[in-house]
Amino acid sequence: MNRSTSSPTTEPRWLRRLLIGAALAFIAFFLLLPLAAVFVEALRHGLDAYLNALREPDALAALKLTLLVAGIAVPLNLVFGVSAAWLISKHDFRGKALLVTLIDLPFSVSPVVSGLVYVLVFGAQGWFGPWLIEHDIRIIFAVPGLVLATVFVTFPFVARELIPLMQEQGRDDELAALTLGASGFQTFLRVTLPNIRFGLLYGVLLCNARAIGEFGAVSVVSGHIRGLTNTLPLHVEILYNEYDFVSAFAVATLLAMLALLTLGLKALLEWRHGHQLAARARH
Amino acid sequence: MQIRIQHLEKHYGRYAALRGVDLDIRSGELIALLGPSGSGKTTLLRAIAGLETVDGGRIRFGDRDATTLSVQERRVGFVFQHYALFRHMRVLDNVAFGLDCRPRRDRPARAEIERRALDLLTRVQLADLRDRLPDQLSGGQRQRVALARAMAIDPTVLLLDEPFGALDAKVRVELRRWLREIHDATGYTTVFVTHDQDEALELADRVVVMNAGRIEQIGTPDEIYTQPATPFVFDFVGRSNRLRGRIDQGRFRPDGQTRSWALPEPLADGPAQLFVRPHDLRLDARDDGLDAVVHQVRRRADRHVLSVQVAGQDTPFDLDLPVHADAEVPAPGARLQVGATRYRVFATA
Amino acid sequence: MSAVLDLDTTTNAPPPASRARRVMPGFGLTLGYSVAWLSLIVLIPLAGVFIKTSELGFDGLLRVWTDARVLAALQLSFGTAFVAGAFNALAGTLVAWVLVRYEFPGRRMIDGLIDLPFALPTAVAGIALTALYAGNGWVGQWLTPLGIKVAYAPLGIIVALVFVGLPFVVRTLQPVLAEARVELEEAAATLGATRLQTLRKVLLPTLYPAMLTGFALAFARGVGEYGSVIFIAGNLPRVTEIAPLLIVIKLEEFDYAGATAVAAAMLLLSFVLLFAINLLQAFAARRAGRVR
């Protein structure tokens, strides 16, 4: 008999191969091809052109600004994330479910709207616009606006990673520390923080990637002033719209490499410390 | 340290976890809180520790009112059911944690802290494992580290929540004896929670039986087993049979029977129930035996258990028959007279 | 007052302790900080959208919402997001299935790559996709002779949204597939079901709720997506102009009220749709529960 009995819980080999092939083709076409395009387009006119594009003062200014904005926004969200996760995982109170939902709210708002809300509050025609102009304080079309918009779009990242992790870990460790005489602050620093350090790192990693790459929200509040309020993603757009494709893609490779680095670190964290992360967070 | 608990109340929303609990614990005593799940025993333990706030009543540690003290101020040694060892700290650092957290003026020098932690680890026979992480220990070893950690702060009282619940049967029995030894050597007032009656009866000086947020009985293991104060205790601790009937002119007459039994202590006339242990029933009854039919015979290692149907009662009885090589075991269907050497009667509410 | 106290004095119990009712520290601090920060950064600014919208009045609002250009943009954003979400629901399920169920070389690396759209800045994705699908691009040059126009057409928007939305479906389905118990499939097989019947009647119904969740997440993201779309869309008013872009254009014209009205329409429509999807999901979960 040449009919092989197939396992009851899997598909025949030919079907398995077909499905794997289809999935891989889909991923190659939709994920790998665009990634490859970034690097190929950037090097279209050779390595020198590529490196020259990266040495442009405007590109360097954009890089600095991007790091500055992320450097402010990420710590702010880190503090909030830890605070919210402590509140939600270690305490019982009414309205907890509502609070969790509200923390996630920025994920369901268009990035453009995330920028718009700050224009409405701080813009020239906004609530505080006249007062700000009077006192010569610039928020919109300036660095504070970029930071605010970035904080908004990356708001839930750290909290979302920590809340399920700290809920899984329970409260016994903290209570044990308290019975042993530790103060609240000692308990957090010496017991909770070591327990969540990898989850925290994971959340910060994702938060940082989004903070650096954010485009829509930042675009609305930036004003696109070259060398002043242009982050890297915005600089890519300007170069592209000026038909300076090589430069646009050259700057884009920086962002793409950062994305790959993020994915690598993320995979490393999942591999080495998977048990100390919340059951695979979705973002 | 003597601990006095007065009329403790605790509610979770509309659910009453403790309904007026009074308990005096003598200094140096080893006390078991025994009861089914949901009886309030863990809540009581956590209330003593200050891990739960209470809605009414007082807790005194010696002369001091501890009701409003914070958990840190109470300085209790609490051993959690799953130990709650700090995973990122070495065993030695776990034990040293309490001393390490003291404010600077009360904190011993680092060397002194390490010496004391090591002393405790030696006491629980784990000095060799001081540099291990908790994940590298067996369940029984973790339990001992947790106990050493709790003792490191020189606690006013040791509180253990289901201390043997997470261990396998063999380790559990070993650790029981070992806990008793530690208790006798250190003299700490100790309270532990358990749902295992063997554990409570074997280990404790006194057993507190709890049910539905109340204390049913406080007594030595012997008292709890031989003189259960309530139907619940009789039913919950050890095996028991129940006969329904009435008290009539100072004697208990089971439903459906003509004969009646004397009351161990006087009770008013009215509906009542009689509790009796399987090993306190006899087949060699004289003229006051109850009419019964053997329903089933089950063989155990050291005895036969006869399931007998007493006429007029709705559920069958268990009766222990010691195994003798020459004794004849009644067969199912046989008619017998059942008597009892020791029993207890409670009026039915 | 005294009557209330009398109840307690009978049992000689003190009134409840007046100190903090919590054993775990930090409640007041973290509650205060979290709620204040959430309000300042998210809630109050978002409320601004609705306050600004109400300034338009009903007539003004209706005028914006019925404007042909606005209607076309909303239709385009929701339509393309729906198509891309549906496509992702199917393709993403296939990918998740293959990644969870089958072993093949490079599986871990592919699995890590799934998150690329989360990590890659949208503007980078946008220009890369445009370069690929433009008439002279790697892919575009093969499609143009066939009469298929992707870049600068609605199809291009869908391609960008498929890229952006893929991880939502895959990451939602993976844990569900990983947890699906093999015993269920074995049980079905012992009861005489063919593999196809098992898949259709036992396994797939347990996946529907997760597929819907993944779809909803991808859809919500697609509706609001900006960076990856504007490069490939062409941005022709009424043809390939998405709603978020229209908001930006209105802002650049200093038409704050108009921009806000479009934003409010997006928020409301998304809310209604997600609510409907939630209902559908509850229904699917109940059905899946019944099958199980």
Side-chain angles (χ1 to χ4, degrees), chain A residues 157-169:
Chain A
F157 277 104
V158 177
R160 272 186 87 149
E161 181 57 34
L162 289 186
I163 290 168
L165 173 67
M166 286 167 73
Q167 277 174 337
E168 272 169 38
Q169 289 178 344

Side-chain angles (χ1 to χ4, degrees), chain B residues 84-130:
Chain B
L85 294 180
F86 307 131
R87 274 172 306 167
H88 60 285
M89 290 183 203
R90 295 179 307 155
V91 163
L92 188 74
D93 297 324
N94 261 283
V95 177
F97 183 86
L99 295 172
D100 229 16
C101 277
R102 293 223 178 132
R104 184 153 308 184
R105 59 188 185 316
D106 302 337
R107 193 191 313 155
R110 183 70 213 168
E112 170 67 9
I113 291 178
E114 294 221 351
R115 194 191 59 75
R116 281 209 234 167
L118 200 57
D119 274 357
L120 280 161
L121 279 177
T122 311
R123 163 157 275 163
V124 301
Q125 298 148 23
L126 286 176
D128 293 347
L129 303 183
R130 59 179 174 264

Side-chain angles (χ1 to χ4, degrees), chain C residues 17-146:
Chain C
S18 61
R19 72 180 178 98
R21 306 289 295 144
R22 287 172 186 279
V23 173
M24 193 72 84
F27 179 70
L29 179 71
T30 54
L31 180 73
Y33 178 75
S34 301
V35 170
W37 188 242
L38 177 73
S39 305
L40 276 176
I41 296 292
V42 177
L43 300 183
I44 295 172
L46 263 185
V49 172
F50 291 95
I51 293 168
K52 189 79 187 174
T53 309
S54 66
E55 281 173 16
L56 271 178
F58 186 71
D59 286 344
L61 195 60
L62 212 62
R63 205 162 45 243
V64 177
W65 284 359
T66 52
D67 177 61
R69 188 173 171 188
V70 172
L71 276 178
L74 287 173
Q75 211 175 356
L76 181 70
S77 277
F78 280 83
T80 50
F82 186 91
V83 174
F87 182 79
N88 267 333
L90 298 177
T93 305
L94 170 72
V95 171
W97 175 271
V98 166
L99 285 177
V100 173
R101 289 300 180 106
Y102 303 148
E103 277 296 335
F104 55 92
R107 189 177 63 100
R108 290 186 71 99
M109 231 187 68
I110 302 286
D111 187 64
L113 260 180
I114 295 296
D115 287 325
L116 181 70
F118 285 154
L120 194 69
T122 51
V124 177
I127 61 170
L129 288 171
T130 312
L132 284 177
Y133 290 94
N136 58 353
W138 294 353
V139 183
Q141 60 181 311
W142 299 101
L143 296 177
T144 311
L146 302 173

Side-chain angles (χ1 to χ4, degrees), chain B residues 258-279:
Chain B
T258 50
R259 297 192 174 102
S260 61
W261 289 354
L263 293 182
E265 63 233 48
L267 279 171
D269 284 3
Q273 45 192 346
L274 180 147
F275 285 84
V276 57
R277 305 235 181 255
H279 53 71

Side-chain angles (χ1 to χ4, degrees), chain A residues 157-223:
Chain A
F157 277 104
V158 177
R160 272 186 87 149
E161 181 57 34
L162 289 186
I163 290 168
L165 173 67
M166 286 167 73
Q167 277 174 337
E168 272 169 38
Q169 289 178 344
R171 303 173 186 178
D172 277 2
D173 278 17
E174 283 77 16
L175 292 177
L178 295 176
T179 64
L180 293 168
S183 68
F185 193 60
Q186 281 175 322
T187 301
F188 172 74
L189 225 53
R190 301 179 60 169
V191 173
T192 310
L193 204 54
N195 276 342
I196 62 171
R197 60 192 193 274
F198 292 110
L200 195 62
L201 196 59
Y202 193 88
V204 165
L205 193 66
L206 299 176
C207 184
N208 183 57
R210 179 72 193 265
I212 286 179
E214 178 50 30
F215 180 73
V218 172
S219 164
V220 171
V221 294
S222 144

Side-chain angles (χ1 to χ4, degrees), chain B residues 184-206:
Chain B
D184 293 345
T186 59
Y188 284 124
T189 310
T190 306
V191 183
F192 72 98
V193 156
T194 182
H195 62 267
D196 181 339
Q197 41 178 300
D198 284 341
E199 214 162 273
L201 296 178
E202 178 181 332
L203 200 51
D205 296 326
R206 286 196 301 158

